[in-house]
Amino acid sequence: MSKKINVTIWNEEDNNQAAYPEGIHTALAAFVKEHEQLGTLRTATLSQPEHGLSHDVLNDTDVLLWWGHIYHHKVSDEIVDRVRDRVIQGMGLIVLHSGHAAKIFSKLLGTHTWKLRWREANERERVWVIDHNHPIAKGLDEYIEIPQSETYGEYFNIPKPDELIFISWYEGGEVFRSGCTFNRGSGKIFYFAPGHEGFRIYDMPEIQRIIKNGISWAAPVGYPKISADHHPKSPEAMYKEAHNL
């Protein structure tokens, strides 16, 4: 039997999520709860104590979904460090849409990840699958057509992804690395761009499939604990020891 995956969905829950009056975290939870390996499902928001991400919650989270928009600066640095440590230890992280500007994403990737082209054009987006062998792309056709979406475009200031799964083309001509993965420590990170707050993109079955596939992929794989506690003697200490000094 497959190990159950405990999932926490984080959302800053601002007042600008026009298409999701119940909050994007609630819309995400509505289909994540159908994941066949789901264990515990939690939601957490910016306004909660410790942003809903206490040590107990994070220690019981296998995969954390992160959706942020305009209040990235309000996220406590202490909580960012806490989440980073859990990712390094093996917790999966899925960063969604404008979460590209989140402190945690920049901290883990080491670049100014908020730097990209964007415009509110409400144009068509075509998400091309360029790695059909990847588990996150399981069950998808050649591309996904999104009738209306916010436009993102290159250059996207991220390090070279470990894996590039999706590239988006927009009606205005922009292209964007809209689905890519990174490894940090024992943890896996998946960034997925589609999911604007003004359109109910998360209602699309293909988008839901990608996120559920992403949860399966990002879940910890149970690496053995690796010891790295050996500290060789310094040259100075070895010299003194050899010469009885």
Side-chain angles (χ1 to χ4, degrees):
M1 182 177 178
S2 299
K3 182 182 180 296
K4 294 296 184 181
I5 303 171
N6 294 337
V7 176
T8 299
I9 300 171
W10 191 89
N11 176 22
E12 68 180 35
E13 199 181 16
D14 65 73
N15 295 323
N16 296 295
Q17 297 171 12
Y20 300 92
E22 75 281 18
I24 285 178
H25 56 297
T26 303
L28 292 168
F31 65 84
V32 169
K33 70 181 182 183
E34 300 168 355
H35 194 291
E36 60 184 11
Q37 290 178 252
L38 184 68
T40 300
L41 176 61
R42 299 182 179 89
T43 61
T45 60
L46 179 67
S47 61
Q48 294 175 329
E50 301 180 89
H51 307 327
L53 299 174
S54 66
H55 285 291
D56 288 343
V57 167
L58 287 175
N59 288 338
D60 194 42
T61 298
D62 296 311
V63 179
L64 174 65
L65 278 64
W66 191 283
W67 198 100
H69 183 210
I70 59 175
Y71 295 129
H72 305 297
H73 62 288
K74 292 187 177 181
V75 178
S76 162
D77 290 340
E78 179 184 354
I79 301 302
V80 171
D81 289 342
R82 186 182 298 176
V83 173
R84 175 194 176 276
D85 289 347
R86 280 289 294 127
V87 172
I88 298 301
Q89 293 164 8
M91 182 183 74
L93 177 65
I94 298 178
V95 178
L96 298 170
H97 190 56
S98 47
H100 66 78
K103 288 181 180 180
I104 183 59
F105 197 45
S106 292
K107 193 173 189 77
L108 284 163
L109 268 56
T111 59
H112 296 161
T113 56
W114 59 86
K115 292 187 176 182
L116 50 78
R117 293 180 184 272
W118 67 274
R119 58 193 177 89
E120 298 262 6
N122 305 344
E123 294 178 347
R124 180 163 49 108
E125 176 182 358
R126 181 172 287 180
V127 184
W128 287 94
V129 182
I130 62 168
D131 187 355
H132 285 275
N133 290 320
H134 198 282
I136 294 178
K138 182 179 179 181
L140 300 177
D141 291 328
E142 279 189 293
Y143 61 83
I144 302 165
E145 193 88 359
I146 301 175
Q148 288 183 297
S149 184
E150 180 180 22
T151 297
Y152 283 176
E154 298 291 341
Y155 179 68
F156 183 18
N157 191 21
I158 56 174
K160 182 179 179 180
D162 293 322
E163 300 165 307
L164 185 57
I165 308 167
F166 305 109
I167 291 179
S168 286
W169 165 89
Y170 299 88
E171 202 171 335
E174 293 90 347
V175 294
F176 188 70
R177 288 170 288 173
S178 54
C180 43
T181 71
F182 306 87
N183 290 274
R184 293 294 184 269
S186 296
K188 293 185 283 185
I189 304 166
F190 172 44
Y191 172 71
F192 187 57
H196 185 261
E197 65 278 0
F199 309 107
R200 292 204 61 108
I201 293 170
Y202 291 127
D203 288 348
M204 296 179 63
E206 302 94 334
I207 301 299
Q208 294 180 4
R209 179 184 291 272
I210 288 170
I211 292 173
K212 286 190 279 190
N213 286 348
I215 289 170
S216 299
W217 172 85
V221 296
Y223 290 120
K225 186 174 181 180
I226 299 171
S227 174
D229 295 331
H230 176 62
H231 301 285
K233 295 177 182 178
S234 68
E236 292 83 0
M238 293 173 67
Y239 177 85
K240 291 180 179 179
E241 186 176 280
H243 295 82
N244 296 316
L245 297 177

